[in-house]
Amino acid sequence: MLEHGELKMQLELGPVSFLKDDREVKQGIRRNFARRARSYDRHAEMQRRMAHGLVAAVGESLARAGRILEIGCGTGYLTGLLRQANGEARLVALDLDAALVDAARRRLGPEAGVAWLVADGETPLRGEYDLIIANATFQWFTRPGETLAALYRNLAPGGVLAFSTLGPRTFQELAESLNQAGRSLNLPAIPPIPAQGFGDRETWSDRLYGAGFPQVRLGREMATATFPSVKEFLQALQATGATNPRPGQFSPRLLHALMAAYQTNYGRDGAIPVSYEMIWAVAEKS
Ligand SMILES: C[S@@+](CC[C@H](N)C(=O)[O-])C[C@H]1O[C@@H](n2cnc3c(N)ncnc32)[C@H](O)[C@@H]1O
């Protein structure tokens, strides 16, 4: 059984886009991922899968690009794929957090010739790019519409914006079990988990057209990971840093009830399922 303090879940409070203080949220996101710089790679199998899907979705535009900007490089997994596919491009990779940028820099080494930057991908950037790309990052944006419009302006004519992101059905078993746990303890309405506030495919499509892109392709796939127990899933979630950027109180009683509901409703053959809704988008500037 999970001991109090062994795992402090950060699930409560609403989705990031509902939160008022943008700077505070950004600091929360940065802190969550930064703390996990060492453990992220061991637990980020789904993100790696998304990165390969993204590279496949971008196709020829990647090899052709002379100037590439990667947003949210994290520990540099996608950055490495980008370099393998295109050894010549001027490649700029940025992340909110310095510890992650350092990890990515170490992973690729100086010979990769990447320009590393600690920056918020949502603040207006200078420069013009043929390809702007991001893996499993845009779901954390707090001003996605505005940011897409700004990135559109950073693209050269014919340039491509390509990203993968997670949709609102990600961790749906967790959301459902949390609600059930709240009801079983007679708690007032439990706020949604952050994933429930992520944009779905239609929302991203509208945002991209709204930002000025005349051509947009989107794909979506549900995938299921399995974990030996709810506790191990929650630990893995913490290890990737993909938890609530503004944590509040989460009582041991609620945590216990959540784990019991999850296990009872979804546990089969010594494992529990965890859903991921993966979305890919490729948009071209005319
Ligand atoms: C799930 S990780 C993905 C990391 C990497 N792209 C990968 O595929 O392994 C999300 C990353 O996005 C970064 N991030 C979140 N919001 C960001 C923002 N506004 N600007 C730059 N980076 C951001 C986080 O610091 C974290 O490294």
Side-chain angles (χ1 to χ4, degrees):
M1 181 41 51
L2 195 66
E3 300 299 330
H4 180 44
E6 188 184 337
L7 176 68
K8 286 194 227 91
M9 277 309 291
Q10 304 178 342
L11 296 169
E12 65 286 37
L13 296 179
V16 286
S17 52
F18 294 177
L19 300 174
K20 277 188 238 131
D21 187 341
D22 190 65
R23 252 178 85 179
E24 198 181 317
V25 174
K26 282 283 156 60
Q27 278 172 6
I29 295 170
R30 190 195 59 70
R31 225 179 16 243
N32 281 348
F33 282 108
R35 279 195 207 128
R36 314 300 169 200
R38 283 159 198 258
S39 56
Y40 178 85
D41 287 329
R42 282 201 303 279
H43 298 276
E45 197 187 318
M46 222 33 103
Q47 287 82 348
R48 286 194 286 275
R49 192 167 151 177
M50 290 166 77
H52 287 278
L54 181 59
V55 167
V58 179
E60 286 296 297
S61 312
L62 171 54
R64 274 204 309 264
R67 298 155 296 178
I68 302 175
L69 170 67
E70 184 192 355
I71 297 176
C73 64
T75 58
Y77 187 76
L78 176 67
T79 327
L81 297 184
L82 297 176
R83 241 322 162 234
Q84 270 170 31
N86 182 334
E88 301 299 317
R90 187 163 71 78
L91 176 54
V92 178
L94 66 83
D95 198 279
L96 269 182
D97 186 72
L100 291 163
V101 170
D102 277 348
R105 195 199 308 266
R106 282 195 302 275
R107 172 184 228 136
L108 272 86
E111 63 285 356
V114 178
W116 303 101
L117 219 59
V118 178
D120 181 350
E122 292 205 274
T123 56
L125 303 160
R126 271 184 296 175
E128 193 177 69
Y129 296 90
D130 305 301
L131 174 64
I132 299 179
I133 192 162
N135 188 48
T137 296
F138 281 19
Q139 70 274 13
W140 295 112
F141 279 177
T142 52
R143 304 181 301 278
E146 246 174 75
T147 302
L148 293 182
L151 296 178
Y152 181 87
R153 292 192 289 276
N154 283 115
L155 284 173
V160 169
L161 171 69
F163 62 91
S164 67
T165 187
L166 290 167
R169 291 178 64 194
T170 301
F171 306 150
Q172 57 190 357
E173 301 85 0
L174 179 66
E176 176 49 39
S177 305
L178 182 59
N179 271 327
Q180 192 181 331
R183 285 194 304 272
S184 73
L185 297 175
N186 289 322
L187 297 178
I190 300 277
I193 63 170
Q196 289 172 281
F198 293 166
D200 62 10
R201 183 173 51 179
E202 288 63 41
T203 304
W204 282 109
S205 172
D206 291 349
R207 285 172 182 161
L208 284 162
Y209 284 117
F213 288 95
Q215 279 189 55
V216 173
R217 275 189 291 126
L218 287 123
R220 172 187 173 276
E221 191 185 316
M222 289 301 296
T224 307
T226 53
F227 287 81
S229 67
V230 183
K231 178 181 163 183
E232 277 170 77
F233 160 52
L234 296 178
Q235 283 172 331
L237 189 59
Q238 287 223 305
T240 61
T243 45
N244 198 310
R246 255 193 13 186
Q249 289 301 310
F250 202 84
S251 76
R253 253 176 92 227
L254 181 56
L255 187 53
H256 185 208
L258 155 67
M259 288 169 46
Y262 202 141
Q263 184 64 47
T264 307
N265 292 341
Y266 300 101
R268 299 280 177 282
D269 305 323
I272 55 120
V274 176
S275 293
Y276 288 81
E277 181 178 13
M278 303 185 286
I279 296 168
W280 290 272
V282 179
E284 197 172 320
K285 181 168 178 172
S286 52

